[in-house]
Every structure is written in C-alpha cells, then in structure tokens.
Amino acid sequence: MARVTVWNEYRHERESDAVADVYPDGIHAVVADALEEAGHEVRTATLDEGPDHGLTEEVVADTDVLTWWGHAAHDEVRDEVVDRVHERVLDGMGLLVLHSAHYSKIFKRLMGTSCSLKWREAAETERLWAVEPGHPIADGIGEYVELDETEMYGERFDVPAPDTLVFTSWFAGGEVFRSGCCYRRGNGRVFYFRPGHETYPIYHDDDVRQVLRNAVAWAEPGDGPTPDFGNADPIEEIDTDDDRTVH
C-alpha cells in the first residue's frame, strides 16, 4: 500500500455554505476516505498549514503519491514548495492532479504549457468515457461513467499529448475534453483527472472514488533500478585515453 498525502487548498469549504454542504470537512477528507478504503496510509495537508502548506521536507520525502486539489489560490503556493514537489516527482513520487488543479503551479511546471481550457458552470450532465479500458486506472469501471451535474471543461486543453489517454468526457452542452491524462516526468508518474468541482458531490461518486484508488496504485513508485547520471566508467575494457576532451 502507498503512503499518500492528500493536499487541498481548503478555502471554498470554509467560505461558502454551498460548498460546505457538500464537503463539510473539506474535499481532502472525502478523497482521503476513498483512499483509506483501499488500505493506503493517508495523511492530509492544506494551503494554510504553515509556511510550507503542510508539505514540509519531511512530509514530501515520506510520500509515495501526492494528490492535489486547488482552485482560487494557486498563486499563494510558495515556489519553494513547488520546487520541493517537482524534485520529488522527478525522483519517482506519483502525482494526481484533480479538476481545477490543472492551473496549479506544479502541474504547469511539469507540463511546460499554459494548461488553459474552456469552462462553463451549468450543472450539466457529463459522460466520462473509458477510451483505454485495459488501462489499470480504468479497472472496475464500466464503458462510461455518467455524472448528472458537473462543471464543463472543454477543448482545447493546452497540455502536451498524454502518454496515455484513459478517459474522454462528453458534456450535454456539446463539448468534449481529455479528462484522464497519464504522463511520465523523470521517474514519476502524473495523472490528471478532470471530475471534481467543489459544489457538486462528485468525489462521493463510487466510480470516481474507484478511479482515484486505481490512479494511486498506478502512480505508486516501483522497485526498478535507480539510474546513474554523469560521467561513467566503462563496463567493458576499453581505452579511455583521449586528449581531445574539453571536460
């Protein structure tokens, strides 16, 4: 089982009755509950937990998979914390980027693009199609998941082409969206998952919770070899005397 840190901005839940009605203890509590059901060792952290937003060096070093939900305060995340998370992802930590965290500093840095998109808040139906049904993140999910009320995200989604696209969404208003995108950055695995607006009970949905559990299992670091970088001694016996080098 993975050591998971569930990070949440945790502002809307404290400032809006409409959000608090859906997530009285915060979005992070509901996500953490879904992951604990699978036996993962879960801790939570939020934006206002000290200068490191709950993501101290010790916490990040002790995390196998980090989940990230943010919306209104992306710019308040300190760059030093983003640097810390970025380095850990490259070293092998998994990262699940949820819904409006597409605009988070860490996701934009890992993607190298604006991560912009179309959006509309109209409580419309979404069908989340499993376009790669054999992928482990889609395990136990039907051909599609229907969510009665969601916020629309529409193409173009300004991200690099995913290594694997697991889910594509269709919305009642006509738009489509790449909603489940897998990436590898360094030794780490990154999964962007679109569903999860704060005023709709999406993280209470059984299929969405199953996707979150599957994604953590997929993103968890493996036991592969640690690569060496830099100047290397030869494995076979060769003549390494070359006076043309400038290093």
Side-chain angles (χ1 to χ4, degrees):
M1 294 293 103
R3 299 167 300 171
V4 184
T5 299
V6 176
W7 192 88
N8 178 23
E9 194 175 271
Y10 195 36
R11 289 281 180 83
H12 292 311
E13 302 95 316
R14 293 182 290 145
E15 298 170 356
S16 166
D17 290 340
V19 179
D21 285 345
V22 181
Y23 298 108
D25 298 317
I27 287 171
H28 54 292
V30 176
V31 172
D33 178 70
L35 301 178
E36 287 171 346
E37 289 175 356
H40 296 299
E41 179 185 329
V42 183
R43 63 159 63 90
T44 63
T46 59
L47 179 66
D48 294 324
E49 284 186 44
D52 292 316
H53 319 304
L55 297 175
T56 63
E57 291 184 3
E58 293 76 15
V59 167
V60 173
D62 194 43
T63 298
D64 296 319
V65 180
L66 173 65
T67 77
W68 194 283
W69 196 100
H71 183 208
H74 298 307
D75 290 344
E76 295 184 36
V77 178
R78 293 174 56 235
D79 290 339
E80 293 86 345
V81 175
V82 178
D83 292 341
R84 183 178 303 153
V85 172
H86 182 256
E87 182 177 349
R88 276 287 289 130
V89 170
L90 298 184
D91 285 344
M93 182 182 72
L95 179 66
L96 272 58
V97 179
L98 305 177
H99 190 58
S100 49
H102 68 92
Y103 265 150
S104 63
K105 287 183 177 181
I106 182 59
F107 190 58
K108 290 170 72 174
R109 180 178 297 186
L110 287 164
M111 296 298 103
T113 59
S114 73
C115 300
S116 296
L117 46 79
K118 293 187 182 74
W119 64 275
R120 179 176 58 249
E121 211 169 334
E124 61 196 274
T125 298
E126 172 185 0
R127 291 196 187 105
L128 182 74
W129 289 89
V131 295
E132 197 61 56
H135 195 279
I137 292 179
D139 189 43
I141 304 300
E143 189 175 18
Y144 65 88
V145 175
E146 185 156 326
L147 301 170
D148 293 333
E149 294 184 326
T150 63
E151 179 184 23
M152 185 279 293
Y153 278 7
E155 296 288 350
R156 185 177 186 272
F157 187 19
D158 186 26
V159 292
D163 299 334
T164 305
L165 179 63
V166 182
F167 299 109
T168 296
S169 289
W170 168 90
F171 297 89
E175 290 84 3
V176 296
F177 190 76
R178 289 168 288 167
S179 286
C181 303
C182 297
Y183 299 94
R184 182 180 289 279
R185 292 294 184 266
N187 291 327
R189 292 179 171 183
V190 178
F191 182 60
Y192 173 76
F193 189 49
R194 194 217 66 83
H197 187 61
E198 65 275 3
T199 58
Y200 307 129
I202 291 170
Y203 292 126
H204 294 284
D205 182 90
D206 289 340
D207 286 322
V208 169
R209 293 164 74 84
Q210 182 63 43
V211 170
L212 295 176
R213 290 189 286 265
N214 292 346
V216 165
W218 171 82
E220 184 180 3
D223 295 323
T226 301
D228 291 323
F229 299 104
N231 190 39
D233 292 329
I235 297 173
E236 307 294 343
E237 185 174 345
I238 61 172
D239 182 2
T240 60
D241 184 17
D242 188 342
D243 58 10
R244 292 170 295 182
T245 181
V246 296
H247 294 287

